Amino acid sequence: PLHYYIAAAIYKLVNNKELLRFIYCLLALPIPYLFFLSLSIKFKKIDLNNLFLFSLIIFLLPSFRSAAVWPNTQITGIFFFLVSLYYFLKWEEKKKFNILNKEILLTVIFMSLTVYSRQLYAMIFFYFMIIFYKKFTKKIFFKLSFIVSLFAIPGIIFVIFFPKILKVTFEFKLYNSLL
């Protein structure tokens, strides 16, 4: 529901649907640049011009263009995900696996915002947690898991106690949730 709160806050400020769409379209413009930043960290041996051109492919995707024009959860989710991915790659680049540093905390914060914007990204968050489990000591991983659990509390409360607000039914059967 985070996307809808953000869109509602912008709408309250501008009080115009067309202006909301325009602002949201402008907010989608940094997404290829965020993608470029992540690519430049991960692929250091590839020419930056090629990486930049590759990052612009996002503009060719019809789903991206339509999501940018019609304020959509996809754009909000991608934005927060790419910021999270940027800090995750910075953390991996530093190779400081014995402490919880700024990059890890920012990764978790932005990944939480990603999941609150578009729940599909919970699977990627789970993948990040597997990587954290492999790289950190059990003590540090436990601390990080506690922080992630704190960020999850509002979502758990929202889903369990206010499912009608979300207009969804929550089921604890994994095979239904996974599909």
Side-chain angles (χ1 to χ4, degrees):
L2 178 63
H3 162 78
Y4 298 107
Y5 288 124
I6 293 170
I10 294 171
Y11 183 74
K12 270 188 176 179
L13 289 173
V14 297
N15 203 20
N16 182 321
K17 288 181 186 175
E18 297 303 317
L19 194 53
L20 168 69
R21 289 177 56 198
F22 179 71
I23 291 170
Y24 212 80
C25 194
L26 290 177
L27 292 175
L29 288 177
I31 287 177
Y33 181 69
L34 291 170
F35 185 43
F36 165 73
L37 290 177
S38 296
L39 288 173
S40 64
I41 294 170
K42 188 69 178 170
F43 302 104
K44 291 195 178 295
K45 293 181 180 179
I46 297 178
D47 181 34
L48 289 178
N49 292 327
N50 291 340
L51 291 177
F52 182 72
L53 286 174
F54 183 74
S55 69
L56 295 178
I57 285 179
I58 291 176
F59 285 129
L60 298 176
L61 301 173
S63 63
F64 176 81
R65 291 192 317 246
S66 67
V69 173
W70 300 99
N72 190 320
T73 59
Q74 180 180 340
I75 295 297
T76 310
I78 289 173
F79 181 83
F80 287 135
F81 171 68
L82 287 173
V83 174
S84 175
L85 182 64
Y86 171 78
Y87 286 114
F88 176 79
L89 292 172
K90 288 298 250 183
W91 167 75
E92 271 195 329
E93 184 179 54
K94 287 184 176 182
K95 297 188 185 318
K96 291 188 177 181
F97 304 134
N98 56 350
I99 58 167
L100 286 177
N101 58 13
K102 173 182 75 168
E103 284 81 13
I104 279 296
L105 295 176
L106 289 170
T107 297
V108 169
I109 288 169
F110 281 104
M111 200 62 205
S112 297
L113 293 173
T114 303
V115 173
Y116 278 123
S117 299
R118 191 157 171 111
Q119 291 72 31
L120 174 70
Y121 289 97
M123 299 300 278
I124 297 172
F125 203 159
F126 181 68
Y127 176 71
F128 277 11
M129 292 303 288
I130 291 171
I131 292 172
F132 296 149
Y133 178 76
K134 288 180 177 180
K135 301 232 180 195
F136 283 134
T137 64
K138 290 194 187 326
K139 182 180 178 183
I140 294 174
F141 180 75
F142 180 74
K143 288 179 184 179
L144 183 64
S145 296
F146 179 73
I147 293 169
V148 169
S149 299
L150 289 177
F151 288 139
I153 289 172
I156 292 168
I157 290 171
F158 210 66
V159 166
I160 292 175
F161 294 111
F162 306 106
K164 293 192 191 278
I165 293 173
L166 293 173
K167 295 183 181 172
V168 297
T169 56
F170 184 74
E171 221 176 291
F172 286 96
K173 296 178 184 171
L174 181 61
Y175 57 86
N176 285 343
S177 300
L178 199 56
L179 290 177

